Amino acid sequence: MERPVTEADLEFEHVPETDQSFENALARARDGDRLTVDDAIELLTTGTDSEGIDRRRKERVLEAADRRRAEVVGEEVTFIANLNNNVTTACNVGCLFCNFKDAAHTFERETEIETAGFTKTPAESREIVADAVERGIYEVTSVSGLHPAFALDDDHREILEAHPNPKEINYKPPEAYETSPGTYTNQIAAMSVDDVHVHSMTPEEAYHARRGTDWDYEEVYSRLQAAGLDTVPGTAAEILVEEVREVICPGKISTDGWLEAMEAAASVGFDMTATIMYGHVENEAHRAMHLQRVRELQDRTGAITEFVPLSFIHQNTPLYEHDVVAGGASTDEDELIIAVSRLFLDNIEHIQSSWVKYGDEHGLKLLNCGADDYMGTILSEEITKRAGGGYGEFRSFSDYVEMITSIGRVPVERSTDYETRRVIDPDEPPFGPRLGPNADGTPLLTREERETRATRSAK
């Protein structure tokens, strides 16, 4: 049996070495010059001329990024009233950084293996979203496992059923499973309740939704748009460098494939987000290269509304269990990726700090390192929690107002595209959403419901 790769085995072509100096890179950042990959490496490492992170240099990078944030977006900190409704955990891609998935075969009717995962029917998704919309949310985010029974629509299902080797294209009919997820268009249509904004279908899911066909991504996203999809999450990006993807997600969509899908979504007319998932096997050169590819994508499309750094949560993941990584990113690295993202991505206005990944205290600190958005209420968070994240599943509007005003910033409720905003007066409680179709300022959850969720999250 082949021995699994460990941290000690990793050797990469791309390493954090440059001919640039830290001082020159920082001067260019302060002057507002468009930074190079070498500039980004120097800032992310606080200088490749010495080992480790120099805390004094780091503070100078953070100061430059915070100043740039103030120039670009001012003192507002935005957030949104949203719900996460992930349809299924069934997946057999095998990404080593993920603990959200459950092996797809454990969902089959004939199996004797009990799964801890879930699959929701379109009717169940609609019920969940309808309840949340009634409470006041106006965005539903949905990112799911690649269930073998998932098809884009009925046309796609016919093609998959007629394929001579379904296993080759990762397909099994819905009848093989206890619960069918339906089709992607079924699910999107089901979640389109009362004009709620549906944010779904990552490049990886779009890849799954065209398997076995000669369709391009434009065809896939056009059909999804007709079903009610509003914007596309740029997750599944991880690190957009192939030598890293070969280690952490060898079965996943490639860098070129991710970029192709994102450009297609933009060409159809979708706004998008973009992400980076860092703190695992990659180094600062890979992070800088990733930032460059996102910036170039934005140069071509202009469709990216926000950039979302996601710190790798390692505790329950195969990468950690197999000794490929010893842990996740440090707080210094978190601060520097936010700061350098702000300085490097001169064509993306908003940088997000994620309380799910960082927690409240650290997440607030990152709002002084270049970030200006503080995520959303979520109501339910499953992906990070399964990987070992311990920062809960819900933040109320009152939480947001208290936290944002505590650092001297202005709390602002926003729409998904940032075009609609409502400044919240911290002296005028109670605090609840007002931008949604059924939002009237009432808090999303009662005190009893919040206490129940807090107890459940602590277990």
Side-chain angles (χ1 to χ4, degrees):
M1 182 176 177
E2 187 176 346
R3 182 177 66 85
V5 173
T6 67
E7 188 174 21
D9 298 321
L10 295 176
E11 291 185 10
F12 291 122
E13 175 186 351
H14 301 288
V15 293
E17 297 174 354
T18 82
D19 293 326
Q20 175 64 289
S21 73
F22 172 81
E23 295 297 340
N24 283 343
L26 182 61
R28 286 169 53 79
R30 286 172 168 169
D31 290 343
D33 295 340
R34 173 159 274 205
L35 301 183
T36 66
V37 166
D38 281 357
D39 291 329
I41 291 172
E42 288 299 318
L43 298 177
L44 287 166
T45 59
T46 63
T48 58
D49 54 347
S50 60
E51 291 290 327
I53 291 174
D54 183 305
R55 295 288 177 81
R56 287 175 295 184
R57 284 182 170 183
K58 182 197 75 171
E59 291 302 322
R60 295 165 66 194
V61 178
L62 304 188
E63 180 184 5
D66 195 44
R67 186 180 303 116
R68 179 71 53 78
R69 181 271 309 161
E71 293 169 355
V72 173
V73 295
E75 298 305 313
E76 294 182 347
V77 173
T78 52
F79 58 93
I80 192 167
N82 68 343
L83 164 77
N84 275 14
N85 178 56
N86 303 314
V87 172
T88 181
T89 62
C91 192
N92 52 15
V93 173
C95 299
L96 297 179
F97 60 82
C98 178
N99 201 47
F100 172 70
K101 65 182 179 297
D102 295 283
H105 71 269
T106 64
F107 291 77
E108 295 178 17
R109 290 183 184 277
E110 304 302 321
T111 187
E112 296 181 359
I113 303 171
E114 186 173 344
T115 181
F118 60 84
T119 297
K120 300 168 187 172
T121 65
E124 289 170 331
S125 287
R126 187 168 188 84
E127 183 178 354
I128 291 166
V129 175
D131 174 71
V133 171
E134 184 64 29
R135 292 174 181 273
I137 73 105
Y138 41 87
E139 176 192 275
V140 56
T141 299
S142 182
V143 177
S144 299
L146 305 183
H147 196 302
F150 243 147
L152 174 60
D153 53 19
D154 291 341
D155 290 344
H156 190 212
R157 175 86 65 207
E158 286 186 19
I159 294 170
L160 294 172
E161 292 281 0
H163 197 280
N165 187 357
K167 186 176 181 181
E168 183 181 275
I169 55 170
N170 187 19
Y171 179 71
K172 283 193 175 183
E175 296 77 23
Y177 297 91
E178 288 288 343
T179 303
S180 170
T183 66
Y184 283 111
T185 54
N186 289 158
Q187 287 284 353
I188 296 298
M191 287 186 276
S192 298
V193 178
D194 289 348
D195 294 324
V196 72
H197 187 105
V198 181
H199 183 60
S200 187
M201 293 305 295
T202 70
E204 182 73 17
E205 290 173 291
Y207 177 77
H208 194 59
R210 65 191 278 259
R211 70 197 190 283
T213 75
D214 59 0
W215 297 344
D216 56 25
Y217 285 109
E218 284 84 355
E219 178 69 24
V220 172
Y221 277 116
S222 292
R223 294 188 182 208
L224 292 163
Q225 188 176 54
L229 184 64
D230 294 298
T231 53
V232 172
T235 53
E238 325 317 348
I239 297 291
L240 294 172
V241 182
E242 282 308 293
E243 65 177 2
V244 175
R245 300 180 84 79
E246 287 169 4
V247 176
I248 67 171
C249 52
K252 203 165 192 173
I253 192 170
S254 68
T255 296
D256 288 344
W258 188 90
L259 293 168
E260 180 187 355
M262 292 284 279
E263 287 199 55
S267 73
V268 170
F270 287 117
D271 282 342
M272 312 175 295
T273 59
T275 63
I276 181 172
M277 197 266 294
Y278 66 95
H280 38 89
V281 306
E282 91 295 346
N283 58 47
E284 292 86 356
H286 298 128
R287 296 176 193 177
M289 293 168 68
H290 180 105
L291 292 176
Q292 183 183 45
R293 283 166 182 165
V294 170
R295 189 174 70 186
E296 289 172 347
L297 175 65
Q298 181 71 335
D299 282 342
R300 294 192 297 272
T301 67
I304 300 172
T305 57
E306 67 182 4
F307 184 67
V308 186
L310 301 170
S311 191
F312 172 58
I313 305 298
H314 67 279
Q315 286 87 340
N316 298 334
T317 64
L319 282 177
Y320 180 66
E321 292 167 357
H322 296 164
D323 295 323
V324 183
V325 301
S330 67
T331 56
D332 289 332
E333 290 176 286
D334 292 336
E335 291 166 2
L336 284 165
I337 194 70
I338 292 282
V340 177
S341 296
R342 170 60 72 186
L343 295 167
F344 192 93
L345 299 174
D346 51 22
N347 52 5
I348 298 177
E349 192 170 357
H350 304 289
I351 308 293
Q352 186 178 98
S353 171
S354 167
W355 58 259
V356 169
K357 300 293 185 182
Y358 303 120
D360 293 342
E361 183 179 355
H362 190 35
L364 286 173
K365 170 65 187 299
L366 296 175
L367 292 171
N368 290 323
C369 300
D372 69 297
D373 186 74
Y374 205 25
M375 214 176 170
T377 54
I378 290 186
L379 287 182
S380 172
E381 203 295 316
E382 295 144 334
I383 297 175
T384 297
K385 184 178 179 182
R386 278 176 160 240
Y391 296 121
E393 304 176 56
F394 173 70
R395 288 295 177 275
S396 69
F397 268 47
S398 59
D399 291 337
Y400 272 118
V401 172
E402 179 182 352
M403 289 189 292
I404 293 167
T405 56
S406 75
I407 60 169
R409 303 275 281 281
V410 180
V412 176
E413 179 186 8
R414 67 161 173 94
S415 58
T416 303
D417 61 6
Y418 290 84
E419 293 300 316
T420 305
R421 299 164 177 259
R422 178 178 71 97
V423 176
I424 298 177
D425 187 339
D427 295 323
E428 293 188 3
F431 304 113
R434 290 192 177 276
L435 300 184
N438 295 321
D440 60 4
T442 302
L444 289 168
L445 298 179
T446 65
R447 177 179 294 178
E448 291 76 15
E449 288 171 327
R450 291 185 64 193
E451 289 173 351
T452 298
R453 285 173 182 254
T455 301
R456 186 177 64 199
S457 295
K459 291 180 179 179

